[in-house]
Each structure stands twice: as C-alpha cells, then as structure tokens.
Amino acid sequence: MSEKLTTVSRPDTASGSVLERNSASSNPFAWSDRFAQRHIGPTPSEVAEMLRVCGFSSLDGLIDAAVPAQIRSKRPLNLPASRSEHGLLTELKGIAGKNRLFRSFIGAGYSDCITPPVIQRNILENPGWYTQYTPYQAEIAQGRLEALLNFQTMISDLTGLEIANASLLDEATAAAEGVSMAHALKGSDTRTKVFVSEKCHPQTIEVVRARAEAIGLQIVIGNHHLFQPDQTFFAALVQYPATDGTIFDYRRFAEALHGSDCLLIVAADLLSLTLLTPPGDFGADIAVGNSQRFGVPLGYGGPHAAFLSTRDGFKRHMPGRVVGVSKDARGKPALRLALQTREQHIRREKATSNICTAQVLLAVMASMYAVYHGPDGLTEIARRVHRITHILAQGLRKLGYEVGPELFFDTLAVNLGNRRSKDIITTAEKAEINLRAIDAQTIGVSLDETTSLEDLQKLLAVFNGGREIDFSLENLGGNEPSFPAPFARSRPFLTHPVFNTHHSETEMLRYIKRLESRDLSLTVSMIPLGSCTMKLNATAEMFPVTWPELGKLHPFAPTWQAEGYQIMFRQLEQWLAEITGFKAVSLQPNAGSQGEYAGLLVINRYHETRGDKHRKVCLIPTSAHGTNPASAVMAGMKVVPVACESDGDISLSDLKAKAREHEKELAALMVTYPSTHGVFEETIVEICQIVHQHGGQVYMDGANMNAQVGLCRPGDMGADVCHLNLHKTFCIPHGGGGPGMGPICVAEHLAPFLPKHPLVTTGGKNGIGPIAAAPWGSASILAIPWIYIRLMGGDGLREATRVAILNANYIARRLEPYFPVLFKGHGNLVAHECILDFRQFKNVTVEDVAKRLMDYGFHAPTISWPVPGTMMVEPTESESQGELDRFCDAMIAIHGEITVIETGKVDAKNNLLKNAPHPADVVVADKWDRPYSREQAAYPAKWLHDYKFWPAVARIDNVWGDRHPICSCVGMEAFS
C-alpha cells in the first residue's frame, strides 16, 4: 500500500529552521540527527553571517525579497515526515523486499550479468566517479575521458565500424537516433519511409515508431526477406541476433539497400559480436545496441549505456557526445569532447537530435568490464553462454520439442505444438522462473553469463511438466558449438594494450584509481555550475542502487513480482505531483531531454484529440537552452522565437504579438523558471495566461526547480506540464554526464496522454507511444530521489531551497565589486544562480579564468551560456560558507591577476591566466622560463599547501583536435 501523506509541522525552535538541533525536544523518542543538517552545508551561525553580508536579518526576509509574492505557495508541502537515515533505509529495505527475485530468461535486449566486485566497489559505489561533472573542462577530466575513449574503442572494434559515440540512453532510443541520423543523411521530401524488421525487439519498434511519426516519417514493419527497397525509403533497421534468437545473414539485404541509396541500421547484441561477424563487415552503416550485459545490473530497466557506431564518413552527423584525441599546449596527447559532434542541440532548431547527455557512469563500467576481461575473457564468456544454450536446446529436443532457430547465440524459440505458452509460463512461475511468450505456441528462452547447471535443470523440468528430467546434462553437449562461415567472426578485436594488461584485480584496482585521480569530482571541491545543480549525493541515498532487490529485476518481469518497485513508483509520483502542483506523473523519460520531448508529445496528443492537429507552433524565448528548440523540432513543431528584454526577462510585448500572430496554430510555449538568467520573472503568471488565451499550452522546463521546491509550484503559476531533472534538484548524481532521469508532471487534462509501453501496462488511457525502452525508464536510480524526499521531508526541502537562494546571493554580493552580476530580479536579488560578466576585460577571456580556477582546485562554473563571455555560478544548498568563501577568495585573487594584465604590468600573452592550468610536470620541470614563480603558478592560495588537486594536462588545443579527429584509444599511440 502507498504510504499515507501527512503534513509536517514546523520544528519547535526559535528560528524555525530545520538546521537547528532540537536537543530540548519534549519528545524523548525524536531522533537527534536530522538529515537536513547533513545535506544543507551552512550552519545556523553561517546562515546568519551570510544574511548579514546580503543585508538581511532573517532568511524569511531574504526569501520575501527575492521570490515574488504572487507565485509563493500558500501552504506547506503535504509530504511524509522526515526520517533518520538508518530508519528510512530499514523502511526501504522492507519495501524493496516485496520484489520477488525470480530467475528471468526473458531476454528481449536485457540480460543478467556479473558486475566484477572491483568495478562495483570502485566505480559504481565510488563518489570519486559518480559525482563528476560532464567533461567540458577536459584538463581536469582526463581519467573519465580515457574510460570513455576505451568505451568508444570497444564499440567500434566489436561492431566493425570506424567510429562510435560515448554512449546513448538505451537501445531503443539509440535505434531511434540511428533512424534520425539516417534520415539526415539520405532522407528527402520523397524519401520518408524506414523499414523496420518484425524481428526487432518490440520496445525498439514502438520507440522508433513514436519518434518517426512525430516528424512525419512512415514506419513499414515486415519480413526483411520479402522487403524490396525503392526510392521512397531512406533506411532499414534489423536486429542481430533477432528478438527470437535467429542469426540472419544480412549481406544480400545490405546490398539491396545500398543499391537503392538506403542505409542499413543494425541493432546488435554486444556480447554475441565476440563470436559473430561484426555488422560493419556485412554492410551495416550504423550499429546500435546496449552495453548492459557488460557488467551493468538489470535495475528493472536501467540506467544502462547504449551505443551507436557508424562509418567514418558519417561522423559529423552522429548524435550525442564523442571523445577525441587532441594535444595540450606542450604537444602532449590529451583528450576532450569533439566539438562538432559533441551535442547536436547546440544547433537548436536545426538539430536532428536533442540528446545532450550520455550514460557516462554506465559506459565507464562497461568499458572497465572489457578492460578487466580482455578479448580472451569476453570470448570465453560468450562461448560459455553459447555452449549452455546449445545444451539446453539438446535437452528440449530430447523432451520432444521443436527448437529453433537453426543458428542461435543465447536465445531459443521453443515450439510447444499443442501446448499453450501461458501454461508453460504458469509452470515456470511456480518454479520462480520467468520466460517470454513469443506467441501463443512459442516460448522464448534467453540465457546469460549467470546461468548455472542448476538453472538448466530447472528450465528443463518446467518444459517436462514440472518434473525433474531423467537424463544427464553432461551427455548433451557434444562437440564445441561454433558458427560456420559467413557467420563466424574472423577479425581480431580489443587489440590495444589497455584491454590486454589489467586482468588481475591488483592491476585493475590501480588502473581505476589512476584514472580517478585525474578527475575533479565533488570529493575534491564544490562544482559551482549554473543550471546543473551539482549538490550532495548522500551516501544513504546511494546504498539501495546496488541492492539485489532493486538491481536484479528484469524490466519485463510481471509487475506482481515488482510490488516493492510499484509502491516506490506510486509514492514518488505522488510526492512529485505535490511538489510541482500537478495531477499526474510519468517516470518513464530517462533524461531531461527526453522529458522535454515527452511533454511536447503529450501536448500534441491533447491538441489532436480536440481536433486541433494544425496546432504546431512552439514559442521559445531566445534565452532558452538549446534542447528546447531541438525537442520541439523532434516533436514535429515549428519553433518561433520570442525576444527577451535587456534585463533578460521575456518580452511581454513580443510574446503577445507572436501569440496573436500564430493564434490559430499555437501549440505551446516552452519557458524555464526561474529564468535561464537566474532570476524570478515577476510576469510568469501573465505569461501563462497569454498563452492560454490564444489556445496554447505552457511547458515549463524544470531545470531550475532547485529554486522552487517548497516555495512555489509550476502548476500554481499556470503551467500545464513540466519535466524534472531528478539528477539535479532531487540528487541523482551527475555521474560524469549521466545517468539522469527526466519525468514529466502534467495537469489533469493532460494525464490521459502520458506515455504507454508495449509490454507493460503503464501511462494514460490515450497515451503517446513509449519514450524509453523500459516502462519506468532507469528505474533503479529512482530510489535516490525517493530517499532524498523522505529524508528531507517538506520542511527540509523548503529549507534547502531557501539556503540555495541565500548561497547564490552571498556569492553574488561578495563578487559583484569585481565581476558585475549581469541580471537581477525581484528585490534586486538573484535566484539560485548568478551570472558574472567578464566582457569588460580586453586581454583576458572567460575561458582563461576557467582554466586558472583549476590551479586553485576548482571546477569552473558554466561559461559563456546563456550569454557569451560570462560565468553562471550555482553553489547549491550543500556547500558551507567556508567552501563558498574559498571559491570567492579564488575568484577575487584571479581578479587581481587579471588587473595586472589589463593595466599592462605583465605580458598580455605570457601570464598566469593564458598559461593556465599548470600541471605538476610543468611546474617541476628543469626548465622554467615564465615571468612568474612556480609558487604563483601552482600554489596561488594558502589552502593549496594542505591539499592540491593537479590538472592532468596543460590547456588543450580543441581546434587541432577537430581538424585531426582521432576517436579511439589506438590513436593515442599514433599521435605520440
């Protein structure tokens, strides 16, 4: 049952702050430790001092001045009371224990696997890896970039294609991205069809269908043997091996496609490619898939790192991020994100994708799995899986079943004859086994790395009417099964030394730690990134992610086996609806970009059901993040920009004019609140009213929800739908650029249109097609926001928001005498972030400052967005005054370094900022010919003598890297 919501009363303290310890409580059973005290950085005395600097005597006074009264909530959040960490983990253990861990042989793109303990403990459970930020500042992200380069090399090698990206969200999304990419390459006004094999995984078919239909593309589903390409098609998508286990020879199919100038997209199983001919060798132009079975837990659907690889000539059209090799200021090889292919949403409405993230943490795990096992180890794992599948097939035939296909890797299709699939499935469930019904008389069985001899005996007993078999499995194997030509792999893979060195746990542990040491994470210092909310990811929030009760479930297991998950989903949906002021929630979108896309498709469906299919115009302020217009285009909308005033606010006059001009075709407005400029716009209610008056819906981008929770609600302002970045506001770690979750919250009239799923019942009665491969997206990490909300309670969440706003204003007040604060809002204050202006300097750029901050041990704030030449600073509520002061002191010291450059006292090209950052090998080199001391370069602040984080390389030459693209680890040696 879902937990009953109870309103939390204010703590009985003089200040009314949850930060105060309530040692004098009249309740002798009250826990002395409140989680909010652990999560929120500043102490009560620090809060008082920061308020004094900001010119306020109380936190209430600051919030009243900063947040417009007309949007403030009139009541406290109706959420469960906060609990102690120990008590809540015990409670969640009980809920998770309601999940039933049957052995799942369902397959369909998901396999159980073994996560090597050295990888689980030192990467998945290690904040040095999961609290890193996206590697935009590459000089302090070399370790993670190397792991991602290994991932790209692994994918490229196994798929037989020249270049791969740094991961995507899931296999179905990757397939949809492959179709969009193929359309950009080969599509036209007349080439609008894509063929999809009926042998693809069903969730992949439906995600591709939803994505294609939104932009007017036609999906043709059928038998690839019968398909005849013509000039109306631009691509075809097939599965390898097929969803029923069949291994097809696609050579002639590829030739026919290429003869009609169409592209072949192959969704491939990564482990099978250690034994099978890689897609690139039989004509694939794009390969997609999932790396989940390379050591990443099932997690009831995610998070997992998908992949996309392609031919070198198509690399400029690849979606997502790509890691490339460049050189630093000394000519030393160095890694960075390749700009042209990094994020297509930078192209805004001209983008073919809105993907602005990767599943970095999971891609790192998968790449380390390959590093640990090496090519021989991976091949042996694949051979074992194939051997035991062969033994199972022999046993089933001995029981009298017709077993196909003729060629298989790990999946069998068992023809039941006169028996019904549901009867076998019922028998299997009695043995705590899950199987897949391919059709009414065919059962699918997929084996994996974890399958044991006992599992085979239980499976055969299921097909034997529940009775034990009377023959020995040892006598069934026969000769070692192998694949004939042209199916057998003939080319080597993973030949680079990194995949052939670290096979002992000692070597693997040291390699992981060596890479970790080259990356700045929250374990080192604050990461004050505006718009990205790099706050504390508490250890208690992270524990359950690796619990078997949450990690071992297959996403298509019967929902009655996932009762614990269902309780958690219902409660989290209820709490998020309460926090946002909306009626219903979908947890399916597995990234913020996918939440945007889902929300817009919901709006489209709403208009369609009202007979307003012509409503396709989406108004978007010019200050919006690039994913907004990219998402609108993906949803089949026409983007119309709305101007902003000089103070950054949306121009009401231009909004009114555009709304009137497009009244008959207006679908939606996309707006971020607080604004992209870090202020609470006072006209937000009027903005929503204008859009509604002209027949449109309001989509509120929830990227800045960190400034709203407990103070105001999007639904109360007039928004109709918003997405939430659970990886920002609600504490899912950034993971170095992923994982994330982007659920959408909608008003009552939009609830019927929430996304469905083809295999599991979820979503609205008239819901849009699936957004993600799994029905609840990356389900396992939903435990993190569930815990965060329960540990904080309504009052703790509200206090976190208030302190986040205080911390931002404190930084703005301290730094404004040195760097002008570009935008201010109500009360001449900022919201949860502030934008510092560096455009007044003639000889120093904002990038110079970002690189110099590395010498002080900090990751730079967001630079040159939303305004070029600026820094957007967001300290979050988790940082103490001491850490905020350390950052401010560093910035003020850098201002002094800038001043001597601007006044001509030091050389404009050879100085501390232009030469930053200063890695250790530069500082200790025998030769030192710079016009400043080594001490000034490496130890510009006194705290650095206690602890110094060293950048791994000097400043990277991005331009050189883009002119000489090398995107696999073999390029490192060639460059050297």
Side-chain angles (χ1 to χ4, degrees):
M1 290 182 61
S2 179
E3 181 174 350
K4 183 179 179 181
L5 296 182
T6 56
T7 303
V8 182
S9 60
R10 297 286 175 212
D12 182 21
T13 63
S15 70
S17 169
V18 298
L19 297 177
E20 296 283 2
R21 291 187 179 273
N22 191 9
S23 58
S25 171
S26 59
N27 179 5
F29 300 106
W31 293 97
S32 58
D33 255 357
R34 296 177 63 87
F35 177 75
Q37 296 167 346
R38 305 300 189 198
H39 175 81
I40 298 174
T43 64
S45 61
E46 289 176 338
V47 167
E49 172 58 20
M50 289 192 290
L51 284 167
R52 185 193 64 77
V53 171
C54 292
F56 292 89
S57 59
S58 71
L59 199 48
D60 286 339
L62 172 70
I63 299 303
D64 288 343
V67 186
Q70 62 266 34
I71 67 166
R72 294 286 297 276
S73 297
K74 302 300 188 291
R75 61 173 179 80
L77 290 173
N78 187 25
L79 296 173
S82 61
R83 292 205 63 177
S84 68
E85 294 180 34
H86 173 76
L88 186 63
L89 287 173
T90 301
E91 177 184 333
L92 182 57
K93 194 74 171 178
I95 293 173
K98 297 179 183 295
N99 293 331
R100 302 188 64 181
L101 298 183
F102 285 21
R103 290 289 281 125
S104 285
F105 302 100
I106 297 171
Y110 297 92
S111 302
D112 201 0
C113 62
I114 298 169
T115 305
V118 67
I119 294 175
Q120 175 171 322
R121 173 62 61 89
N122 295 291
I123 294 178
L124 180 58
E125 298 176 350
N126 181 358
W129 281 96
Y130 65 68
T131 67
Q132 301 157 337
Y133 179 57
T134 306
Y136 293 138
Q137 297 296 332
E139 293 84 355
I140 50 175
Q142 289 295 293
R144 185 165 15 116
L145 286 166
E146 180 172 327
L148 290 176
L149 195 71
N150 293 344
F151 178 84
Q152 292 175 184
T153 304
M154 172 185 78
I155 299 302
S156 181
D157 275 11
L158 287 171
T159 60
L161 291 163
E162 292 88 348
I163 188 168
N165 68 12
S167 76
L168 290 169
L169 302 174
D170 58 38
E171 181 170 330
T173 304
E177 292 289 339
V179 169
S180 296
M181 176 181 164
H183 183 251
L185 287 163
K186 297 294 184 179
S188 66
D189 291 340
T190 56
R191 285 182 177 267
T192 59
K193 296 179 183 176
V194 57
F195 173 81
V196 177
S197 169
E198 61 192 4
K199 295 291 188 177
C200 289
H201 296 316
Q203 71 274 15
T204 299
I205 294 174
E206 293 308 313
V207 170
V208 169
R209 187 202 304 273
R211 178 81 71 89
E213 290 178 349
I215 55 175
L217 301 181
Q218 182 180 346
I219 298 293
V220 177
I221 300 172
N223 185 329
H224 79 275
H225 290 300
L226 305 177
F227 172 65
Q228 296 295 325
D230 59 38
Q231 296 303 309
T232 64
F233 285 86
F234 62 87
L237 170 67
V238 297
Q239 194 85 41
Y240 180 69
T243 191
D244 64 359
T246 306
I247 300 171
F248 292 108
D249 181 359
Y250 290 114
R251 281 175 172 79
R252 290 186 179 178
F253 184 65
E255 291 171 0
L257 286 169
H258 293 155
S260 294
D261 201 25
C262 295
L263 299 180
L264 174 59
I265 307 165
V266 177
D269 176 272
L270 204 57
L271 186 63
S272 74
L273 298 184
T274 63
L275 304 179
L276 297 176
T277 299
D281 287 6
F282 60 69
D285 301 289
I286 300 169
V288 299
N290 191 351
S291 65
Q292 176 266 315
R293 69 189 308 173
F294 276 37
V296 181
L298 285 164
Y300 203 41
H304 306 137
F307 62 82
L308 186 150
S309 59
T310 190
R311 303 201 177 279
D312 184 73
F314 300 154
K315 60 178 174 285
R316 300 296 180 186
H317 288 83
M318 286 182 68
R321 296 177 180 151
V322 177
V323 176
V325 181
S326 187
K327 62 180 182 178
D328 73 2
R330 303 159 298 163
K332 178 180 177 180
L335 306 175
R336 92 287 183 242
L337 293 178
L339 278 175
Q340 275 93 333
T341 56
R342 186 181 69 197
E343 292 177 349
Q344 289 200 28
H345 78 274
I346 291 172
R347 300 176 62 214
R348 300 174 71 83
E349 65 271 15
K350 295 181 181 179
T352 56
S353 170
N354 74 339
I355 292 291
C356 66
T357 188
Q359 296 282 29
V360 172
L361 184 67
L362 299 315
V364 168
M365 289 180 64
S367 74
M368 290 297 186
Y369 182 90
V371 169
Y372 196 34
H373 290 293
D376 292 341
L378 292 178
T379 302
E380 180 52 38
I381 291 170
R383 283 177 177 160
R384 180 184 178 276
V385 171
H386 185 48
R387 281 197 301 269
I388 59 177
T389 309
H390 176 72
I391 292 170
L392 178 62
Q394 296 287 79
L396 289 167
R397 293 185 182 114
K398 194 173 182 65
L399 292 175
Y401 290 96
E402 181 182 335
V403 179
E406 181 179 352
L407 283 175
F408 56 81
F409 170 59
D410 66 355
T411 297
L412 302 174
V414 186
N415 189 316
L416 303 178
N418 296 325
R419 300 184 66 180
R420 297 181 302 174
S421 295
K422 65 179 183 179
D423 294 334
I424 292 289
I425 286 178
T426 299
T427 302
E429 288 176 349
K430 291 178 181 177
E432 298 193 342
I433 287 174
N434 291 322
L435 300 173
R436 177 184 173 197
I438 295 177
D439 57 40
Q441 270 80 42
T442 309
I443 288 290
V445 186
S446 296
L447 306 187
D448 57 55
E449 178 186 12
T450 70
T451 305
S452 66
L453 179 66
E454 291 74 20
D455 289 327
L456 294 184
Q457 291 173 329
K458 290 179 181 179
L459 280 167
L460 289 169
V462 165
F463 285 93
N464 196 34
R467 303 180 301 275
E468 291 187 9
I469 55 174
D470 58 1
F471 52 86
S472 172
L473 295 180
E474 284 80 354
N475 298 325
L476 294 178
N479 296 328
E480 174 81 12
S482 60
F483 296 106
F487 300 98
R489 185 180 187 105
S490 59
R491 70 153 88 179
F493 62 95
L494 304 187
T495 57
H496 189 273
V498 74
F499 299 106
N500 295 277
T501 304
H502 311 289
H503 302 326
S504 73
E505 182 162 338
T506 302
E507 289 300 322
M508 189 66 192
L509 175 66
R510 289 171 183 162
Y511 181 62
I512 291 172
K513 288 297 179 182
R514 185 160 68 249
L515 296 195
E516 180 190 342
S517 70
R518 298 173 185 169
D519 260 69
L520 188 145
S521 68
L522 282 176
T523 64
V524 174
S525 63
M526 70 184 293
I527 303 178
L529 287 148
S531 186
C532 287
T533 318
M534 296 290 291
K535 65 169 72 176
L536 170 70
N537 314 119
T539 306
E541 295 161 4
M542 301 302 297
F543 274 159
V545 172
T546 52
W547 287 351
E549 296 94 327
L550 299 181
K552 296 283 283 185
L553 265 72
H554 192 288
F556 305 146
T559 53
W560 59 266
Q561 293 175 20
E563 183 184 351
Y565 261 121
Q566 295 304 315
I567 291 172
M568 188 173 71
F569 294 157
R570 289 195 298 270
Q571 292 182 347
L572 184 57
E573 289 171 2
Q574 191 176 14
W575 301 341
L576 295 178
E578 166 66 13
I579 288 167
T580 58
F582 287 113
K583 180 68 175 180
V585 175
S586 170
L587 300 172
Q588 190 177 116
N590 52 3
S593 59
Q594 302 309 286
E596 291 181 15
Y597 173 61
L600 294 175
L601 288 188
V602 164
I603 289 173
N604 275 345
R605 181 63 59 87
Y606 166 75
H607 287 310
E608 289 168 3
T609 59
R610 292 162 56 88
D612 289 338
K613 291 185 178 180
H614 56 281
R615 289 192 174 272
K616 292 295 182 181
V617 166
C618 185
L619 303 178
I620 302 181
T622 55
S623 63
H625 196 283
T627 52
N628 285 181
S631 296
V633 169
M634 283 177 54
M637 294 180 171
K638 176 186 176 183
V639 174
V640 174
V642 177
C644 291
E645 305 287 2
S646 59
D647 63 358
D649 289 357
I650 295 173
S651 169
L652 283 183
S653 61
D654 194 51
L655 175 64
K656 291 176 182 177
K658 298 287 174 58
R660 282 195 303 269
E661 178 184 354
H662 300 282
E663 182 171 28
K664 293 184 179 180
E665 52 186 355
L666 179 59
L669 165 76
M670 296 188 80
V671 60
T672 301
Y673 201 79
S675 77
T676 307
H677 297 114
V679 298
F680 288 98
E681 293 190 45
E682 298 189 53
T683 57
I684 186 63
V685 174
E686 185 179 356
I687 287 170
C688 295
Q689 291 171 347
I690 292 168
V691 175
H692 289 150
Q693 287 166 5
H694 293 86
Q697 296 284 286
V698 176
Y699 175 94
M700 185 170 285
D701 187 317
N704 292 339
M705 194 69 195
N706 203 40
Q708 291 193 54
V709 179
L711 298 180
C712 49
R713 308 193 303 174
D716 296 343
M717 299 175 205
D720 301 288
V721 55
C722 79
H723 87 268
L724 298 172
N725 289 336
L726 297 186
H727 50 291
K728 294 180 179 180
T729 302
F730 295 94
C731 289
I732 291 177
H734 206 278
M741 282 290 279
I744 55 171
C745 310
V746 298
E748 186 170 10
H749 64 282
L750 295 180
F753 312 115
L754 290 174
K756 291 185 174 182
H757 192 275
L759 300 177
V760 179
T761 301
T762 187
K765 62 182 180 181
N766 192 20
I768 61 172
I771 300 301
W776 288 279
S778 298
S780 65
I781 55 174
L782 290 173
I784 299 168
W786 186 95
I787 295 173
Y788 173 64
I789 293 170
R790 280 290 276 114
L791 286 177
M792 294 291 281
D795 286 329
L797 292 173
R798 174 176 175 270
E799 195 73 1
T801 306
R802 283 153 47 99
V803 174
I805 294 172
L806 169 63
N807 282 1
N809 278 281
Y810 177 70
I811 283 182
R813 187 61 58 93
R814 279 209 62 192
L815 294 183
E816 188 167 26
Y818 308 93
F819 309 104
V821 176
L822 196 54
F823 302 109
K824 293 184 180 179
H826 192 259
N828 204 34
L829 297 165
V830 299
H832 63 307
E833 57 195 11
C834 61
I835 296 178
L836 305 177
D837 196 351
F838 293 80
R839 293 174 298 177
Q840 69 273 25
F841 302 123
K842 297 178 180 179
N843 299 300
V844 172
T845 67
V846 69
E847 184 178 7
D848 295 331
V849 177
K851 303 309 180 187
R852 180 59 171 155
L853 271 170
M854 298 176 189
D855 291 329
Y856 284 82
F858 285 105
H859 193 296
T862 304
I863 66 170
S864 291
W865 187 83
V867 179
T870 66
M871 276 188 175
M872 180 188 281
V873 186
E874 180 179 356
T876 81
E877 70 273 12
S878 295
E879 302 299 341
S880 67
Q881 184 187 11
E883 185 71 356
L884 301 184
D885 282 338
R886 204 164 66 91
F887 172 75
C888 290
D889 291 345
M891 291 293 290
I892 293 168
I894 290 172
H895 181 270
E897 296 170 353
I898 294 172
T899 299
V900 295
I901 298 171
E902 293 293 294
T903 57
K905 294 181 180 179
V906 302
D907 188 275
K909 294 183 179 180
N910 186 10
N911 55 63
L912 286 163
L913 277 88
K914 293 295 182 182
N915 292 332
H918 297 83
D921 58 345
V922 169
V923 175
V924 301
D926 291 340
K927 183 179 179 181
W928 183 263
D929 57 1
R930 302 188 180 187
Y932 49 85
S933 70
R934 299 175 196 259
E935 177 83 8
Q936 287 175 300
Y939 294 97
K942 61 181 180 181
W943 64 76
L944 296 168
H945 289 277
D946 295 326
Y947 174 73
K948 169 74 177 178
F949 177 86
W950 291 95
V953 295
R955 192 176 307 197
I956 295 174
D957 188 338
N958 288 315
V959 174
W960 191 96
D962 286 327
R963 289 175 178 168
H964 307 82
I966 303 171
C967 299
S968 66
C969 55
V970 293
M972 295 286 283
E973 286 75 12
F975 175 78
S976 299

